[in-house]
Amino acid sequence: MVIDSINNGIVIDHITSGKSMTLYKFLNLDKLTCSVAIIKNAPSSKNGKKDIIKIDELIDIDVDVLGYLDPGVSVNTIKDGKIVSKFNPELPERLVDVIKCKNPRCISQDEQELTHIFKLTDREKRIYRCIYCESKAK
Amino acid sequence: MSSVIDILDLSTEEIEELISVACDIIENPDKYAEKCKRKKLATLFFEPSTRTRLSFEAAMYELGGNVIGFSAANNSSAAKGESVSDTVRTVSCYADIIAMRHPKEGAPLVASMATDIPIINAGDGGHNHPTQTLADLLTIYREKGSFENLTVGLCGDLKFGRTVHSLINALSRYSGIKFVLISPEELKLPDYVTNNVIIKNNIPYEVTTDLIASMPKLDILYMTRVQRERFFNEQDYIRLKDSYILTPDKLSEAKADLSIMHPLPRVNEISVAVDKDPRACYFKQVLNGKYIRMALILKLLGVE
């Protein structure tokens, strides 16, 4: 299967197989007007299979979303057909308006236009807690 | 220190400073009688409370200040759907400091993000109640002389009891503390408190359902109420509310210098007969609560 290479844009590589649509949704890629290619189940020497997202435009990617949802990905920036930067997002210390608290007793369920913030409380176990009620992110 | 939302907002040094001021207030009340003259405390109680609200109000009056506020959400603009942030921004135009109780967890934190005046969390649902913890700490200090080398039994509703969680957080910063967690299986201390506070700080603890067997080893017995409002299911409440009732006979094996504490109000978990026991400290806690709130108001207002 052949997907055109991009000249100027972003390639999110090494996405855990099956997670590309989740990233697509959380990164709000549906709002873009440029070409976006989602490649599912591409061969991967490391994990057997991987997903890839190619975005045919240089945009700001929310690396916190990537770090939270799939910390193994790599983000390649392409300029004039060449990779000019490559990095692996880390688990972010804070998540701002990425996920919402599910605790029915939390103020974030009621308060109008409140920013939903979670903080990383256990890096090893990847546990995030709501800053308002301290409930664990689900 | 600009607001106090969680007991952990206060360092051990700040807590000790508050305790020192509270002790000075107890010794020299006249010295503090006009410290907050022309200052206003707003008590924003979106949920009913007798003790805490009156304690804050008495504290402010004894400092020579004034009090405005409301005592139930239906007496406020919250009933019209106003957000916590908007209510607090409005009240900040009238008051110098706010004490807030709210049924939703995290509401006082939201309030503190919306204003520059100090916010004191006077209880947010089953989450935090730092001034109760300060009252508990002042009581322990006055009864025991220090926070170190104490075996502290916590009994009753350890799952929803916010005062228990805050007290564990506060005492975990001192050396020689041991916890005995006494509760029915259904109301055990949540794992996140056990793991993130007790185990993380390498504090010895035991989990038991047996109040009587635990009694001889305790320096402090902190009883809690099984609260009806924390249950989604009335039948669960009725089944568990009488699980642990302290009576004089259960104290027969207790230490002579045990301190029996309770955040109050009690329903029936401590028999009235225990009130006569010199080891009962729960009404002293109420009085200490007023003094420590006075110290906290002074500190947050920057009044020397």
Side-chain angles (χ1 to χ4, degrees):
Chain A
M1 183 178 169
V2 177
I3 303 282
D4 287 346
S5 56
I6 53 177
N7 273 328
N8 293 293
I10 308 282
V11 176
I12 307 169
D13 201 356
H14 303 293
I15 299 169
T16 303
S17 178
K19 275 201 172 175
S20 53
M21 286 309 292
T22 308
L23 296 189
Y24 182 86
K25 182 182 151 216
F26 275 87
L27 291 170
N28 296 317
L29 300 183
D30 56 326
K31 303 220 165 50
L32 296 177
T33 52
C34 65
S35 303
V36 177
I38 298 169
I39 304 160
K40 296 189 71 167
N41 302 325
S44 162
S45 54
K46 200 162 50 173
N47 300 319
K49 284 193 291 186
K50 65 177 179 179
D51 289 359
I52 304 167
I53 297 175
K54 291 187 174 190
I55 304 159
D56 197 15
E57 195 174 291
L58 287 163
I59 60 161
D60 286 330
I61 290 281
D62 188 338
V63 292
D64 288 351
V65 169
L66 289 175
Y68 173 65
L69 290 175
D70 199 4
V73 303
S74 60
V75 181
N76 303 320
T77 304
I78 317 285
K79 279 186 185 164
D80 299 325
K82 288 179 185 159
I83 297 174
V84 293
S85 74
K86 185 171 189 165
F87 77 96
N88 303 98
E90 288 187 354
L91 218 51
E93 285 297 323
R94 280 160 77 88
L95 290 173
V96 179
D97 278 339
V98 176
I99 47 173
K100 291 187 175 177
C101 185
K102 301 264 169 56
N103 173 10
R105 294 182 170 110
C106 180
I107 186 66
S108 65
Q109 303 282 339
D110 293 359
E111 186 78 355
Q112 190 186 342
E113 293 175 38
L114 185 68
T115 308
H116 295 264
I117 305 173
F118 283 75
K119 66 181 175 193
L120 182 62
T121 56
D122 189 330
R123 184 169 285 279
E124 208 173 293
K125 292 182 184 158
R126 301 186 59 209
I127 293 172
Y128 283 86
R129 289 189 182 277
C130 170
I131 66 158
Y132 304 107
C133 71
E134 297 179 83
S135 292
K136 208 191 284 188
K138 287 174 184 159
Chain B
M1 192 199 319
S2 55
S3 288
V4 174
I5 307 301
D6 184 323
I7 191 69
L8 295 179
D9 292 341
L10 299 168
S11 65
T12 51
E13 291 77 17
E14 285 172 324
I15 287 175
E16 279 150 29
E17 188 191 333
L18 289 172
I19 285 173
S20 165
V21 172
C23 290
D24 194 49
I25 292 170
I26 294 164
E27 294 293 318
N28 307 289
D30 291 346
K31 193 172 124 188
Y32 294 88
E34 296 202 355
K35 289 278 186 189
C36 286
K37 200 173 174 183
R38 301 182 66 83
K39 299 277 187 193
K40 283 193 286 293
L41 165 75
T43 50
L44 310 187
F45 277 61
F46 295 82
E47 185 178 64
S49 151
T50 312
R51 196 169 333 276
T52 308
R53 184 172 58 85
L54 295 185
S55 178
F56 270 108
E57 295 184 0
M60 193 56 170
Y61 285 127
E62 288 197 27
L63 292 167
N66 290 302
V67 179
I68 57 174
F70 53 84
S71 56
N74 57 9
N75 293 335
S76 77
S77 290
K80 299 175 194 164
E82 187 176 52
S83 68
V84 168
S85 298
D86 282 2
T87 302
V88 164
R89 278 190 203 110
T90 305
V91 173
S92 301
C93 301
Y94 313 136
D96 301 286
I97 184 168
I98 290 172
M100 175 191 281
R101 169 164 289 190
H102 199 286
K104 289 285 183 167
E105 298 172 9
L109 177 61
V110 170
S112 71
M113 292 156 78
T115 180
D116 291 329
I117 72 167
I119 302 287
I120 304 173
N121 182 359
D124 57 338
H127 189 215
N128 282 317
H129 192 2
T131 61
Q132 177 64 52
T133 307
L134 289 171
D136 297 343
L137 291 174
L138 178 58
T139 305
I140 292 170
Y141 182 80
R142 294 186 73 200
E143 297 299 317
K144 302 291 180 195
S146 101
F147 300 121
E148 296 183 345
N149 304 316
L150 298 171
T151 299
V152 182
L154 300 146
C155 179
D157 175 5
L158 309 188
K159 183 176 182 183
F160 296 107
R162 61 187 165 200
T163 56
V164 167
H165 304 173
S166 292
L167 187 60
I168 288 172
N169 262 312
L171 288 175
S172 292
R173 298 189 283 184
Y174 295 94
S175 64
I177 291 287
K178 289 179 195 163
F179 290 118
V180 182
L181 308 171
I182 310 154
S183 74
E185 195 63 34
E186 292 88 341
L187 295 175
K188 272 171 63 180
L189 193 70
D191 285 346
Y192 71 88
V193 181
T194 312
N195 294 332
N196 296 351
V197 184
I198 298 178
I199 294 174
K200 195 174 172 184
N201 289 297
N202 295 316
I203 294 169
Y205 75 103
E206 62 179 273
V207 177
T208 177
T209 55
D210 194 337
L211 172 60
I212 296 172
S214 307
M215 200 65 86
K217 62 187 95 163
L218 304 180
D219 297 304
I220 290 166
L221 172 60
Y222 195 93
M223 298 291 295
T224 60
R225 179 166 62 104
V226 175
Q227 298 181 78
R228 183 191 296 266
E229 61 267 33
R230 301 290 170 230
F231 283 83
F232 286 119
N233 184 328
E234 179 76 8
Q235 282 176 327
D236 283 350
Y237 168 74
I238 291 167
R239 188 168 55 84
L240 291 168
K241 73 184 173 69
D242 295 335
S243 297
Y244 297 91
I245 297 173
L246 185 65
T247 50
D249 56 301
K250 286 182 184 149
L251 287 163
S252 60
E253 298 297 318
K255 286 183 182 175
D257 65 346
L258 172 74
S259 297
I260 305 163
M261 298 174 64
H262 189 299
L264 301 184
R266 71 173 154 190
V267 178
N268 62 352
E269 59 277 8
I270 300 179
S271 158
V272 174
V274 176
D275 296 0
K276 294 179 200 135
D277 191 307
R279 293 171 289 189
C281 294
Y282 27 95
F283 287 105
K284 291 182 193 171
Q285 268 171 277
V286 179
L287 188 58
N288 287 331
K290 182 188 70 175
Y291 292 126
I292 202 75
R293 288 181 178 102
M294 289 171 77
L296 184 62
I297 290 167
L298 288 172
K299 173 84 179 166
L300 290 174
L301 288 175
V303 178
E304 291 295 322

